[in-house]
Amino acid sequence: MDTPHTRAIEALQPFIHLANSNSATSPRFVANIITNATSSPHTYVFGELLETPTIQSLSSPNTPAEYKSYLKLLEIFAWGTWKDYESTPNLPKLSFEQAQKLRILSLITLATTIKPLTYSTLMSELSLSTPGDLESLVTTAIYSSLITARLSPATSPATINVTSVAPLRDVQPESLPQIVSHLTEWQQRCADVVSSLEAEIQAVRDNATKRAVSEATQNRLFEEAIQKRKAAAAAAASGGGGSGNAGGAGGSRRRGRRGFWGMGNKREAEDIDNDDGFFDAGDGMDIDEGAGAGAGSGRGLGSRTKRILGRQG
């Protein structure tokens, strides 16, 4: 993947090769490597070059004083700022290309540490005399894909809104313990968040299990209640049929008794069927039903009486 950091690493490789070659023996040659590396238009990272034994040899007590400062200059290009260069005495004088590059690298660092990034602040930190010089520097960094920013000169105060920067600055060795501490704290916060999320997930699962058990219990009780009601209804239907039969038998008995008293016995019923309603001549006798008897009652009583008396005769 082609990124500013990748391009910067590739641009630095020739200088690393020179530093590791057998010809890099004199301090002056090593100082020239540093000068050329910091002046190259595409080199923005220097940590790998700084770690080579040849570059580190400049810190030897036997190195002439005029060349020892080149090691410090390379360190400033790796992780320092323009203010660090100005505040450090006896450093080599910078060319225009070196000064422009160090100011751009300082802009990347300042964009991550200062909010808001005003014109006045940057001009002071980068030792620029006019807003035009600052805008030219920022424009160069934007077109080199080193930062993503928008100039706002009309705002009060005038600001530069930087939204992203390329990861080009090296890490100072002295800051590693602090970085490790920050990363450890961040890791602990992440672990706490993960633990909290896992606890919430487990609580949700437990509640879901409880709801499932409760619903299953309610469904079972509901089904049992339905079965009990069906069984009770079936039992009630079976008992009602028996009572109906018993009632039918009782009714038959009652109808039999009514038939006995109302219609007489079987023989009498047969006589009634065979009787024409009058006694045979000479065999019976006339019975006066009584002058006060009603027409309907007289007919009913007289017919019955005639029939009975006729049989007795």
Side-chain angles (χ1 to χ4, degrees):
M1 183 177 181
D2 188 19
T3 64
H5 185 271
T6 302
R7 293 195 297 270
I9 289 292
E10 292 175 352
L12 188 66
Q13 295 307 311
F15 303 101
I16 296 174
H17 179 72
L18 284 175
N20 292 329
S21 66
N22 294 329
S23 59
T25 56
S26 67
R28 182 174 182 177
F29 186 85
V30 175
N32 287 334
I33 293 175
I34 294 174
T35 301
N36 293 331
T38 54
S39 301
S40 176
H42 302 296
T43 53
Y44 290 97
V45 290
F46 304 96
E48 191 174 353
L49 177 63
L50 189 61
E51 292 174 356
T52 60
T54 301
I55 299 298
Q56 290 297 320
S57 67
L58 293 178
S59 61
S60 171
N62 298 325
T63 302
E66 60 179 315
Y67 299 119
K68 280 187 177 182
S69 59
Y70 280 87
L71 178 61
K72 181 62 177 179
L73 178 66
L74 186 60
E75 290 176 351
I76 291 175
F77 270 86
W79 54 70
T81 63
W82 181 264
K83 284 295 184 182
D84 294 329
Y85 172 78
E86 289 190 325
S87 61
T88 304
N90 302 322
L91 290 178
K93 186 177 179 180
L94 299 179
S95 65
F96 174 81
E97 291 78 13
Q98 287 176 311
Q100 183 83 344
K101 180 176 293 186
L102 184 56
R103 283 189 172 101
I104 290 176
L105 292 173
S106 301
L107 173 64
I108 293 174
T109 299
L110 295 172
T112 60
T113 57
I114 299 177
K115 300 291 181 180
L117 203 60
T118 63
Y119 273 47
S120 58
T121 300
L122 284 177
M123 291 170 62
S124 174
E125 292 290 332
L126 302 178
S127 300
L128 296 173
S129 57
T130 65
D133 294 338
L134 176 62
E135 291 174 351
S136 178
L137 179 73
V138 173
T139 302
T140 301
I142 292 174
Y143 281 100
S144 300
S145 301
L146 304 180
I147 64 172
T148 302
R150 185 182 71 255
L151 299 173
S152 301
T155 60
S156 182
T159 58
I160 299 174
N161 301 307
V162 179
T163 55
S164 67
V165 298
L168 297 177
R169 302 314 310 270
D170 294 292
V171 178
Q172 188 175 3
E174 290 78 6
S175 64
L176 288 177
Q178 185 179 3
I179 294 175
V180 171
S181 177
H182 289 328
L183 291 175
T184 302
E185 293 177 1
W186 177 77
Q187 181 185 19
Q188 185 59 45
R189 289 195 299 270
C190 291
D192 294 340
V193 172
V194 171
S195 299
S196 178
L197 290 175
E198 289 177 349
E200 292 182 5
I201 291 173
Q202 187 60 43
V204 171
R205 289 175 177 173
D206 293 341
N207 291 334
T209 301
K210 291 179 181 179
R211 286 196 299 270
V213 171
S214 178
E215 291 177 358
T217 302
Q218 292 177 359
N219 292 336
R220 180 177 56 80
L221 295 176
F222 182 71
E223 292 294 334
E224 290 178 356
I226 292 177
Q227 295 299 327
K228 288 180 180 179
R229 290 184 64 87
K230 288 181 178 180
S238 176
S243 300
N245 294 335
S252 299
R253 289 194 295 271
R254 288 192 295 272
R255 287 193 298 272
R257 288 194 294 271
R258 287 195 300 269
F260 176 80
W261 293 107
M263 297 298 296
N265 55 22
K266 181 177 181 182
R267 180 179 178 183
E268 181 181 359
E270 293 175 352
D271 291 342
I272 292 174
D273 293 337
N274 297 327
D275 188 9
D276 57 1
F278 298 94
F279 292 104
D280 293 337
D283 293 336
M285 57 181 296
D286 294 333
I287 298 176
D288 187 3
E289 294 176 355
S297 61
R299 284 195 301 270
L301 181 59
S303 298
R304 180 177 178 84
T305 304
K306 287 179 181 179
R307 295 189 186 99
I308 296 173
L309 291 177
R311 285 195 298 273
Q312 289 178 350

